[in-house]
Amino acid sequence: MASTADIKNGVVLSIDGQLWSVVEFQHVKPGKGGAFVRTKLKNVVSGKTVDRTFNAGAKVDIQNVDRRDFTYLYNDGESFVFMDATDYDQINVSEAVVGDAANYLLENQLVTIALHDGLPLYIDMPASVVLEITYTEPGLQGDRSSAGTKPATVQTGYEIQVPLFLETGTKVKVDTRTGDYLGRVND
């Protein structure tokens, strides 16, 4: 068991049988009373964020979470198959764990997967990915009813909003956190 002095950003704590990642922490020493640690915790599985305060010196259960690089291979219909970049072992990751990252996954793409006792907890995608537009309506010059954007389907099947001038076959950079169009990519 560790104490509150070991709490740092990115550390994973086990609280009431659930894993929580420390997003922010602050050691507070008020003029009156005992010191304490104020933390913002994010549930590793659900993504829910809570604020929690610990008394200074309290015991906390820090868990070992292994973050490793994996290459995405394919989706077998039930789960996503990834290959470890170091020892070439393959693991199956359920759709629930992959979540919204499935909208941006291309074959042979590198991602970071956090593992706890051999079980995948979550996937860290790169901040942005390059995807090709597979279908979009032609943009009409002067059509500004939709603030200058139109829907476009990218090669993963995900639909994003892009400027009117983009056409099918154009490669675009997409933010994996928000799904926003970031710009056109020239080959």
Side-chain angles (χ1 to χ4, degrees), residues 71-130:
T71 303
Y72 172 62
L73 297 178
Y74 59 91
N75 182 345
D76 66 5
E78 297 174 11
S79 61
F80 293 81
V81 180
F82 293 87
M83 179 180 66
D84 191 325
T86 54
D87 60 12
Y88 306 112
D89 283 345
Q90 292 184 8
I91 63 167
N92 291 3
V93 180
S94 70
E95 290 184 27
V97 173
V98 173
D100 290 339
N103 298 328
Y104 313 106
L105 276 175
L106 293 174
E107 290 181 1
N108 299 319
Q109 183 170 359
L110 276 175
V111 298
T112 302
I113 299 180
L115 301 166
H116 175 66
D117 293 337
L119 295 173
L121 299 174
Y122 60 89
I123 293 179
D124 278 335
M125 293 288 293
S128 63
V129 293
V130 175

Side-chain angles (χ1 to χ4, degrees), residues 24-78:
E24 293 176 17
F25 75 100
Q26 179 183 19
H27 289 279
V28 180
K29 292 167 95 174
K32 187 176 181 181
F36 58 90
V37 178
R38 188 178 295 139
T39 62
K40 180 183 257 185
L41 303 173
K42 180 179 179 184
N43 189 305
V44 169
V45 177
S46 69
K48 176 181 168 186
T49 309
V50 296
D51 293 325
R52 178 107 185 229
T53 303
F54 298 95
N55 290 329
K59 298 295 181 199
V60 291
D61 188 8
I62 294 181
Q63 296 293 309
N64 184 22
V65 174
D66 187 20
R67 292 176 176 85
R68 294 194 303 207
D69 290 335
F70 284 82
T71 303
Y72 172 62
L73 297 178
Y74 59 91
N75 182 345
D76 66 5
E78 297 174 11

